[in-house]
Amino acid sequence: MSITADISETATATGFSREGVEAVSRARLDTGAARDARLRAWELYESLPMPQRTDEEWRRTDLRGLKLDRLRPYAALDGSGVSPVRALEAAGVEDAAAQIALGPNAGVVVQRDAGTILATLDPDAAAQGVIFTDLATAYREHPELVERWFMTQAVPASFGKFEALHAAFWQGGSFLYVPKGVTIEAPFRAFSLISEPGAAIFSHTLAVVEEGAQAFMADAFRSPSLEGQSFASAVVELIVEPDAKLRYVQVQDWGRNVWNFMTERATLAQDATLNSLHVALGSKFSKASIGSHLRGKNTLAEMLGIYFADGDQFFDHHTWQLHESPYGTSDLEFKGALKGNARSVYSGLIKVFEGAQKTDAYQQNRNLVLSRTARADSIPNLEIAANDVRCTHGATVSQVEEEHLFYLQTRGVPRSEAQNLIVEGFFRPIIDRVPVEEVQEFLRTAIARKVGI
Amino acid sequence: MSDGNSNGTTPMFEIENLHAEIDGKEILKGVDLTVNQGEIHALMGPNGSGKSTLAYVVAGDPRYEVTEGSIRFQGEDILEWSPDERARKGLFLAFQYPTVIPGVSMANFLRLAVTNVRTARAEEIAAEGGSAQPFTPREFRRLMREKMALLKMDDAFATRYLNEGFSGGEKKRAEILQMALLEPKMAVLDETDSGLDIDALKVVSEGVNNLSGPKVGMLLITHYQRLLNFIKPDFVHIMHDGRIVESGGPELAHELEAKGYEGLRARTAEAAAS
């Protein structure tokens, strides 16, 4: 379990400050180097301007509703003594006991607010040198490993305003390390939960899959809808070393009071493979930046996304397929459905660097709008500095066709069920591309529930 | 032609003075047609005469507006019913151009459809000594395989997406498969023969013949006599410009084959003039 010091001095303070950073650092029992890194990040945060709507990536994003000064920088850091099953159930996770069992899972980390409730690892995996635990513990126990990758290669603190804030205040999160040549089939599963209203949560995922190794990691962000604004800042760093394979699945199903900011970058070394899936269902506001650096030769990045917004949800996804070396393949497919007054923005960039010949990049974004008052925008982009490449992209925004509903209805299926079938069918090609029965089942249920809301 | 009330009971399916329009343009201009249990009717007529419109209107296509007249099924006016209500009561339309719906597998869709229809008819099924308990996925697969074998359809169809990548003939077989699973009381088959080669036509016709019987009424819409060599109608109707202009027995189809619509029209006009 995590070791924590007295945090009462600032536990009720709101807003972000240098004193807040120092308090988090003391509470986390940071090493001197870790503390210095936080303070440097804080200075960076202060020096960077708040994103403006004149910035391309923020052009369609309205941050006026976000009240940073009213947030508490962290909630309880001590999660010991809390029942993980009950905490998961309170956050809306079904079948919680099975979700955190070892056997079907290779390891589980459950964190609520900033406190670790559960951290387990299959003994066989541990015997092969695998590390999977909460990030703060990993930092203390394996500083050389964590420091090598933590916000150095994939998402440096200098990435942007919110990433700098994250680097100053990060508390929760998990660390996965799979040594050279080790293959673990079962998923490593991490849950980030929020139980306290008005809290800011900084969850950091760092997964390192060494040469020739293979792993599957699943991140879940869950919380009930609470009174008052919550703020979630997540950074995900996926390091896929030569000839390694990583499958990464992320489900964002925060309560409707959460403003979610997520930045993810994967780095792929030569012959590496990444298969990622991002599912966005919850939160009030979500801005996700998801990118893959195809750094080595002959890499493959499959990036899939499903989002489904209803009510007054706003989802904003930016994707980056960064081809930095020759013979890279990236295959991106993001699909979204919208109902109620929901709004979504997708913008994606395929960037082929000079010399990245024989790149094969594909990008597709399709949106299904289920109500008159919902709106989806899709902005695909290409930037190509090599001459022997194949890049394809496409974007569509469409509605459920009356003709389809009528056909299904003539077979006795009520209109609402027909709509559900069509929406599920719309997402089906992506669901079929994730060959994990449990993930498929979860998605089917989640989509049906969303259609029924 | 059938006069419906010969046995003293309400006709199963009765269209009276039906007028319907699309985008303000009147297509059906007063259709009268009665189909009793166990009867097979053929509706023929040139392109644009309103045959397919009639099929869509019977099924409840929201694109069409009924401006006058009525459609009664088992004595009840169905015009206010949604398309799915009509289907659950036992009406079926085999589409001329079945819709492609990506991502929806035949098996999942049909199980949902069959469950809906059988649940709605639970009382009836119980009265016949059956059970409307929904099929388990396994039971349903078995039933579906059975029906597919009759229509010489490959098992792989069950897992394919609805009509996606189906050839013309495959789509038509899939329509008849749906009919076989839903067991309608009144079926309208819109140009089920179009686009079929002779072998496929035999298989599909055999499928339709297996589904006909003393309790089922059928309306076959067809442009050509060819289908009627395989499915024997009791009555034949000719439609022209939104109305049924002539009705008769199977011999009417043969006459049509010999004279063509033009010839028949000339004869009808003569008869009207004299």
Side-chain angles (χ1 to χ4, degrees):
Chain A
M1 284 306 124
S2 62
I3 304 161
T4 55
D6 179 24
I7 55 157
S8 56
E9 53 178 319
T10 57
T12 54
T14 58
F16 299 103
S17 63
R18 187 186 170 92
E19 292 69 42
V21 177
E22 284 170 343
V24 168
S25 187
R26 275 195 300 279
R28 273 289 174 223
L29 306 178
D30 276 351
T31 60
R35 179 177 173 277
D36 291 348
R38 284 187 194 275
L39 290 170
R40 276 199 306 278
W42 173 252
E43 277 158 26
L44 198 55
Y45 171 76
E46 290 221 290
S47 72
L48 291 168
M50 201 61 166
Q52 297 295 316
R53 298 189 82 164
T54 46
D55 304 337
E56 179 55 32
E57 211 182 323
W58 297 83
R59 207 152 70 81
R60 292 160 193 87
T61 312
D62 187 353
L63 286 177
R64 281 173 301 179
L66 177 66
K67 307 293 177 205
L68 285 175
D69 54 343
R70 290 193 205 152
L71 294 163
R72 273 173 293 118
Y74 52 87
L77 292 175
D78 184 7
S80 56
V82 179
S83 151
V85 170
R86 236 169 286 152
L88 286 163
E89 283 170 352
V93 176
E94 282 161 19
D95 213 6
Q99 293 269 324
I100 57 171
L102 283 183
N105 299 306
V108 180
V109 169
V110 180
Q111 294 185 314
R112 192 178 69 178
D113 303 323
T116 300
I117 296 175
L118 181 73
T120 58
L121 175 61
D122 176 75
D124 289 344
Q128 294 180 74
V130 171
I131 301 166
F132 185 57
T133 186
D134 70 273
L135 185 58
T137 300
Y139 215 128
R140 274 194 307 276
E141 293 177 358
H142 311 279
E144 70 301 337
L145 280 179
V146 175
E147 270 167 16
R148 185 170 156 205
W149 286 289
F150 180 77
M151 299 196 91
T152 57
Q153 293 192 26
V155 185
S158 59
F159 202 96
K161 179 91 171 167
F162 286 100
E163 291 78 7
L165 184 68
H166 179 98
F169 280 95
W170 76 270
Q171 295 151 59
S174 54
F175 177 65
L176 171 65
Y177 178 79
V178 186
K180 196 171 167 177
V182 172
T183 294
I184 307 289
E185 303 269 348
F188 294 93
R189 195 176 292 270
F191 291 91
S192 289
L193 314 175
I194 299 176
S195 71
E196 290 198 25
I201 300 297
F202 297 86
S203 177
H204 195 104
T205 300
L206 175 56
V208 180
V209 187
E210 290 276 26
E211 190 172 343
Q214 295 187 27
F216 170 15
M217 176 160 185
D219 251 334
F221 301 114
R222 307 288 297 257
S223 69
S225 292
L226 302 163
E227 289 295 314
Q229 195 169 72
S230 291
F231 173 80
S233 157
V235 170
V236 176
E237 300 185 283
L238 309 173
I239 315 292
V240 195
E241 293 291 62
D243 202 29
K245 284 193 173 130
L246 174 65
R247 178 177 294 283
Y248 177 73
V249 175
Q250 182 187 91
V251 175
Q252 184 272 99
D253 198 5
W254 291 127
R256 298 307 173 89
N257 61 320
V258 177
W259 287 60
N260 180 59
F261 294 79
M262 198 283 290
T263 304
E264 172 186 315
R265 288 294 178 274
T267 65
L268 285 76
Q270 187 166 334
D271 300 318
T273 302
L274 170 75
N275 300 91
S276 72
L277 170 68
H278 291 82
V279 181
L281 303 167
S283 78
K284 171 178 174 51
F285 168 105
S286 179
K287 191 167 184 74
S289 170
I290 299 159
S292 295
H293 291 276
L294 288 80
R295 289 209 168 132
K297 282 184 191 169
N298 195 36
T299 53
L300 170 64
E302 178 195 57
M303 301 161 72
L304 306 177
I306 286 178
Y307 49 92
F308 196 154
D310 63 69
D312 62 352
Q313 288 183 307
F314 173 83
F315 290 173
D316 187 350
H317 286 91
H318 298 263
T319 66
W320 307 80
Q321 292 154 270
L322 303 163
H323 286 263
E324 299 169 18
S325 282
Y327 301 100
T329 302
S330 64
D331 183 355
L332 180 142
E333 187 177 7
F334 269 59
K335 281 190 157 184
L338 296 106
K339 56 188 283 191
N341 298 316
R343 235 200 113 190
S344 74
V345 178
Y346 168 86
S347 77
L349 175 68
I350 294 175
K351 183 170 178 172
V352 181
F353 289 69
E354 204 182 325
Q357 303 295 15
K358 305 288 180 191
T359 282
D360 189 350
Y362 181 76
Q363 180 200 92
Q364 180 179 256
N365 172 238
R366 296 197 185 285
N367 298 279
L368 188 62
V369 178
L370 302 173
S371 77
R372 270 159 221 249
T373 46
R375 180 175 159 187
D377 288 301
S378 186
I379 308 121
N381 258 307
L382 290 174
E383 213 179 290
I384 299 171
N387 56 16
D388 185 12
V389 302
R390 195 172 71 162
C391 296
T392 321
H393 66 173
T396 58
V397 178
S398 55
Q399 291 165 339
V400 173
E401 296 194 33
E402 276 302 324
E403 190 194 342
H404 290 187
L405 285 170
F406 173 61
Y407 183 77
L408 297 175
Q409 282 184 272
T410 62
R411 272 50 178 150
V413 178
R415 197 177 165 89
S416 59
E417 287 180 39
Q419 179 147 310
N420 188 9
L421 270 181
I422 290 168
V423 175
E424 198 194 307
F426 169 74
F427 286 120
R428 164 74 40 185
I430 293 191
I431 296 175
D432 284 348
R433 286 178 72 175
V434 183
V436 184
E437 180 60 37
E438 180 213 320
V439 174
Q440 296 188 347
E441 192 50 47
F442 168 81
L443 290 171
R444 276 193 288 268
T445 311
I447 290 164
R449 192 172 296 156
K450 272 274 189 180
V451 173
I453 284 175
Chain B
M1 92 164 263
S2 92
D3 65 354
N5 284 325
S6 56
N7 57 3
T9 58
T10 315
M12 184 173 70
F13 184 74
E14 198 176 18
I15 298 174
E16 249 178 26
N17 189 32
L18 188 68
H19 291 252
E21 57 180 52
I22 185 165
D23 302 330
K25 185 173 186 267
E26 187 168 60
I27 309 286
L28 301 183
K29 301 173 178 175
V31 176
D32 291 288
L33 180 71
T34 301
V35 178
N36 286 301
Q37 270 195 345
E39 293 177 353
I40 298 178
H41 291 240
L43 181 64
M44 305 181 73
N47 287 332
S49 58
K51 303 186 303 289
S52 286
T53 295
L54 181 65
Y56 284 130
V57 170
V58 167
D61 189 332
R63 288 177 304 167
Y64 295 92
E65 192 191 341
V66 173
T67 52
E68 213 183 320
S70 68
I71 305 176
R72 281 191 297 277
F73 178 55
Q74 298 178 312
E76 291 185 89
D77 188 340
I78 69 167
L79 285 176
E80 294 302 311
W81 296 356
S82 64
D84 47 299
E85 263 177 293
R86 297 179 194 202
R88 288 195 296 275
K89 293 275 189 173
L91 276 170
F92 182 84
L93 169 61
F95 283 64
Q96 182 180 2
Y97 303 109
T99 309
V100 174
I101 306 186
V104 176
S105 85
M106 287 278 287
N108 286 347
F109 159 56
L110 284 177
R111 195 160 82 89
L112 186 65
V114 168
T115 303
N116 269 292
V117 168
R118 284 171 55 86
T119 305
R121 289 201 219 145
E123 270 182 40
E124 227 173 278
I125 293 171
E128 290 166 2
S131 159
Q133 240 350 318
F135 292 113
T136 64
R138 196 201 192 108
E139 286 168 341
F140 188 74
R141 265 200 304 278
R142 193 186 308 137
L143 178 70
M144 200 168 154
R145 267 205 296 271
E146 214 174 87
K147 306 280 186 194
M148 288 199 309
L150 289 176
L151 289 161
K152 300 196 165 51
M153 293 171 82
D154 194 275
D155 275 359
F157 266 88
T159 52
R160 285 173 66 180
Y161 295 157
L162 203 51
N163 296 322
E164 193 173 70
F166 287 21
S167 70
E170 286 169 339
K171 282 183 186 170
K172 297 301 171 77
R173 280 180 214 216
E175 291 292 290
I176 303 307
L177 171 68
Q178 299 187 29
M179 179 174 159
L181 287 164
L182 295 172
E183 301 181 331
K185 294 173 190 160
M186 174 69 208
V188 180
L189 280 67
D190 189 8
E191 306 265 3
T192 294
D193 52 330
S194 70
L196 295 185
D197 62 30
I198 190 74
D199 293 326
L201 183 62
K202 277 184 186 164
V203 171
V204 166
S205 305
E206 207 178 295
V208 173
N209 283 326
N210 284 335
L211 296 170
S212 67
K215 294 201 160 174
V216 181
M218 280 193 195
L219 180 64
L220 308 177
I221 294 173
T222 180
H223 195 72
Y224 302 105
Q225 146 75 22
R226 190 173 76 139
L227 176 70
L228 307 181
N229 294 331
F230 297 95
I231 308 173
K232 299 289 178 203
D234 302 301
F235 304 95
V236 174
H237 310 275
I238 312 289
M239 194 164 188
H240 179 71
D241 192 24
R243 284 184 199 89
I244 288 175
V245 292
E246 191 158 0
S247 296
E251 73 287 348
L252 186 57
H254 294 290
E255 197 184 336
L256 181 69
E257 181 85 340
K259 294 184 181 164
Y261 287 114
E262 280 306 318
L264 211 61
R265 208 174 296 159
R267 199 203 62 190
T268 312
E270 240 168 66
S274 65

mmCIF file of all heavy atoms in Angstrom, chain A residues 209-228:
data_model
loop_
_atom_site.group_PDB
_atom_site.id
_atom_site.type_symbol
_atom_site.label_atom_id
_atom_site.label_comp_id
_atom_site.label_asym_id
_atom_site.label_seq_id
_atom_site.Cartn_x
_atom_site.Cartn_y
_atom_site.Cartn_z
ATOM 1 N N VAL A 209 7.017 -1.735 -22.654
ATOM 2 C CA VAL A 209 7.108 -3.122 -23.102
ATOM 3 C C VAL A 209 8.451 -3.272 -23.806
ATOM 4 O O VAL A 209 8.689 -2.688 -24.864
ATOM 5 C CB VAL A 209 5.945 -3.482 -24.050
ATOM 6 C CG1 VAL A 209 5.950 -4.966 -24.360
ATOM 7 C CG2 VAL A 209 4.610 -3.082 -23.420
ATOM 8 N N GLU A 210 9.322 -4.035 -23.190
ATOM 9 C CA GLU A 210 10.701 -4.136 -23.690
ATOM 10 C C GLU A 210 10.791 -5.015 -24.942
ATOM 11 O O GLU A 210 9.824 -5.664 -25.340
ATOM 12 C CB GLU A 210 11.612 -4.696 -22.589
ATOM 13 C CG GLU A 210 11.848 -3.714 -21.440
ATOM 14 C CD GLU A 210 12.975 -2.701 -21.717
ATOM 15 O OE1 GLU A 210 13.246 -2.399 -22.899
ATOM 16 O OE2 GLU A 210 13.595 -2.223 -20.739
ATOM 17 N N GLU A 211 11.987 -5.060 -25.499
ATOM 18 C CA GLU A 211 12.223 -5.728 -26.776
ATOM 19 C C GLU A 211 11.605 -7.128 -26.826
ATOM 20 O O GLU A 211 11.820 -7.955 -25.937
ATOM 21 C CB GLU A 211 13.736 -5.819 -27.028
ATOM 22 C CG GLU A 211 14.055 -6.284 -28.431
ATOM 23 C CD GLU A 211 15.554 -6.193 -28.747
ATOM 24 O OE1 GLU A 211 16.285 -5.487 -28.032
ATOM 25 O OE2 GLU A 211 15.962 -6.865 -29.707
ATOM 26 N N GLY A 212 10.818 -7.363 -27.852
ATOM 27 C CA GLY A 212 10.252 -8.692 -28.082
ATOM 28 C C GLY A 212 9.174 -9.106 -27.086
ATOM 29 O O GLY A 212 8.650 -10.212 -27.175
ATOM 30 N N ALA A 213 8.825 -8.229 -26.157
ATOM 31 C CA ALA A 213 7.813 -8.580 -25.154
ATOM 32 C C ALA A 213 6.410 -8.260 -25.690
ATOM 33 O O ALA A 213 6.257 -7.517 -26.663
ATOM 34 C CB ALA A 213 8.073 -7.809 -23.866
ATOM 35 N N GLN A 214 5.395 -8.848 -25.022
ATOM 36 C CA GLN A 214 4.008 -8.599 -25.426
ATOM 37 C C GLN A 214 3.121 -8.454 -24.204
ATOM 38 O O GLN A 214 3.232 -9.240 -23.267
ATOM 39 C CB GLN A 214 3.461 -9.772 -26.259
ATOM 40 C CG GLN A 214 4.168 -9.936 -27.589
ATOM 41 C CD GLN A 214 3.516 -10.985 -28.466
ATOM 42 O OE1 GLN A 214 2.323 -11.251 -28.351
ATOM 43 N NE2 GLN A 214 4.305 -11.577 -29.332
ATOM 44 N N ALA A 215 2.223 -7.462 -24.255
ATOM 45 C CA ALA A 215 1.338 -7.246 -23.115
ATOM 46 C C ALA A 215 0.038 -6.596 -23.551
ATOM 47 O O ALA A 215 -0.075 -6.075 -24.662
ATOM 48 C CB ALA A 215 2.029 -6.376 -22.069
ATOM 49 N N PHE A 216 -0.911 -6.623 -22.635
ATOM 50 C CA PHE A 216 -2.254 -6.059 -22.859
ATOM 51 C C PHE A 216 -2.607 -5.262 -21.610
ATOM 52 O O PHE A 216 -2.610 -5.795 -20.511
ATOM 53 C CB PHE A 216 -3.235 -7.215 -23.093
ATOM 54 C CG PHE A 216 -4.706 -6.840 -23.117
ATOM 55 C CD1 PHE A 216 -5.146 -5.526 -23.254
ATOM 56 C CD2 PHE A 216 -5.668 -7.843 -23.025
ATOM 57 C CE1 PHE A 216 -6.497 -5.213 -23.284
ATOM 58 C CE2 PHE A 216 -7.028 -7.541 -23.053
ATOM 59 C CZ PHE A 216 -7.441 -6.228 -23.183
ATOM 60 N N MET A 217 -2.849 -3.988 -21.788
ATOM 61 C CA MET A 217 -3.207 -3.160 -20.638
ATOM 62 C C MET A 217 -4.557 -2.479 -20.857
ATOM 63 O O MET A 217 -4.848 -2.009 -21.957
ATOM 64 C CB MET A 217 -2.133 -2.104 -20.396
ATOM 65 C CG MET A 217 -2.534 -1.180 -19.275
ATOM 66 S SD MET A 217 -1.184 -0.304 -18.546
ATOM 67 C CE MET A 217 -2.082 0.502 -17.218
ATOM 68 N N ALA A 218 -5.360 -2.472 -19.796
ATOM 69 C CA ALA A 218 -6.675 -1.832 -19.870
ATOM 70 C C ALA A 218 -6.797 -0.788 -18.776
ATOM 71 O O ALA A 218 -6.615 -1.084 -17.596
ATOM 72 C CB ALA A 218 -7.776 -2.877 -19.721
ATOM 73 N N ASP A 219 -7.088 0.441 -19.170
ATOM 74 C CA ASP A 219 -7.267 1.554 -18.239
ATOM 75 C C ASP A 219 -8.746 1.904 -18.191
ATOM 76 O O ASP A 219 -9.371 2.032 -19.238
ATOM 77 C CB ASP A 219 -6.544 2.807 -18.789
ATOM 78 C CG ASP A 219 -5.302 3.158 -17.995
ATOM 79 O OD1 ASP A 219 -5.236 2.798 -16.803
ATOM 80 O OD2 ASP A 219 -4.406 3.800 -18.583
ATOM 81 N N ALA A 220 -9.268 2.066 -16.984
ATOM 82 C CA ALA A 220 -10.667 2.495 -16.876
ATOM 83 C C ALA A 220 -10.760 3.716 -15.986
ATOM 84 O O ALA A 220 -10.192 3.739 -14.900
ATOM 85 C CB ALA A 220 -11.527 1.366 -16.313
ATOM 86 N N PHE A 221 -11.451 4.739 -16.466
ATOM 87 C CA PHE A 221 -11.700 5.955 -15.685
ATOM 88 C C PHE A 221 -13.181 5.986 -15.359
ATOM 89 O O PHE A 221 -14.006 6.158 -16.251
ATOM 90 C CB PHE A 221 -11.303 7.193 -16.490
ATOM 91 C CG PHE A 221 -9.852 7.207 -16.903
ATOM 92 C CD1 PHE A 221 -9.491 7.122 -18.242
ATOM 93 C CD2 PHE A 221 -8.848 7.289 -15.955
ATOM 94 C CE1 PHE A 221 -8.153 7.128 -18.621
ATOM 95 C CE2 PHE A 221 -7.510 7.301 -16.328
ATOM 96 C CZ PHE A 221 -7.158 7.212 -17.661
ATOM 97 N N ARG A 222 -13.504 5.820 -14.084
ATOM 98 C CA ARG A 222 -14.912 5.696 -13.721
ATOM 99 C C ARG A 222 -15.253 6.528 -12.491
ATOM 100 O O ARG A 222 -14.465 6.601 -11.545
ATOM 101 C CB ARG A 222 -15.243 4.225 -13.389
ATOM 102 C CG ARG A 222 -14.861 3.219 -14.449
ATOM 103 C CD ARG A 222 -15.767 3.300 -15.646
ATOM 104 N NE ARG A 222 -17.143 2.964 -15.312
ATOM 105 C CZ ARG A 222 -17.715 1.791 -15.608
ATOM 106 N NH1 ARG A 222 -17.042 0.847 -16.210
ATOM 107 N NH2 ARG A 222 -18.981 1.569 -15.288
ATOM 108 N N SER A 223 -16.439 7.092 -12.494
ATOM 109 C CA SER A 223 -16.933 7.746 -11.278
ATOM 110 C C SER A 223 -18.436 7.940 -11.391
ATOM 111 O O SER A 223 -18.972 7.979 -12.493
ATOM 112 C CB SER A 223 -16.254 9.105 -11.059
ATOM 113 O OG SER A 223 -16.670 10.035 -12.038
ATOM 114 N N PRO A 224 -19.100 8.064 -10.228
ATOM 115 C CA PRO A 224 -20.518 8.418 -10.298
ATOM 116 C C PRO A 224 -20.634 9.899 -10.623
ATOM 117 O O PRO A 224 -19.661 10.640 -10.507
ATOM 118 C CB PRO A 224 -21.006 8.137 -8.872
ATOM 119 C CG PRO A 224 -19.807 8.291 -8.007
ATOM 120 C CD PRO A 224 -18.613 7.932 -8.843
ATOM 121 N N SER A 225 -21.813 10.335 -11.050
ATOM 122 C CA SER A 225 -22.017 11.768 -11.281
ATOM 123 C C SER A 225 -22.211 12.443 -9.934
ATOM 124 O O SER A 225 -23.113 12.112 -9.183
ATOM 125 C CB SER A 225 -23.255 11.985 -12.168
ATOM 126 O OG SER A 225 -22.992 11.495 -13.454
ATOM 127 N N LEU A 226 -21.308 13.359 -9.621
ATOM 128 C CA LEU A 226 -21.325 14.031 -8.318
ATOM 129 C C LEU A 226 -21.726 15.483 -8.495
ATOM 130 O O LEU A 226 -21.711 16.017 -9.605
ATOM 131 C CB LEU A 226 -19.929 13.962 -7.679
ATOM 132 C CG LEU A 226 -19.358 12.558 -7.459
ATOM 133 C CD1 LEU A 226 -17.854 12.622 -7.219
ATOM 134 C CD2 LEU A 226 -20.052 11.884 -6.283
ATOM 135 N N GLU A 227 -22.076 16.116 -7.372
ATOM 136 C CA GLU A 227 -22.338 17.554 -7.397
ATOM 137 C C GLU A 227 -21.000 18.263 -7.567
ATOM 138 O O GLU A 227 -19.982 17.813 -7.045
ATOM 139 C CB GLU A 227 -22.956 17.997 -6.070
ATOM 140 C CG GLU A 227 -24.382 17.540 -5.860
ATOM 141 C CD GLU A 227 -25.342 18.160 -6.864
ATOM 142 O OE1 GLU A 227 -25.250 19.380 -7.084
ATOM 143 O OE2 GLU A 227 -26.156 17.412 -7.450
ATOM 144 N N GLY A 228 -21.008 19.388 -8.216
ATOM 145 C CA GLY A 228 -19.783 20.191 -8.292
ATOM 146 C C GLY A 228 -18.810 19.660 -9.321
ATOM 147 O O GLY A 228 -18.784 18.480 -9.628
#
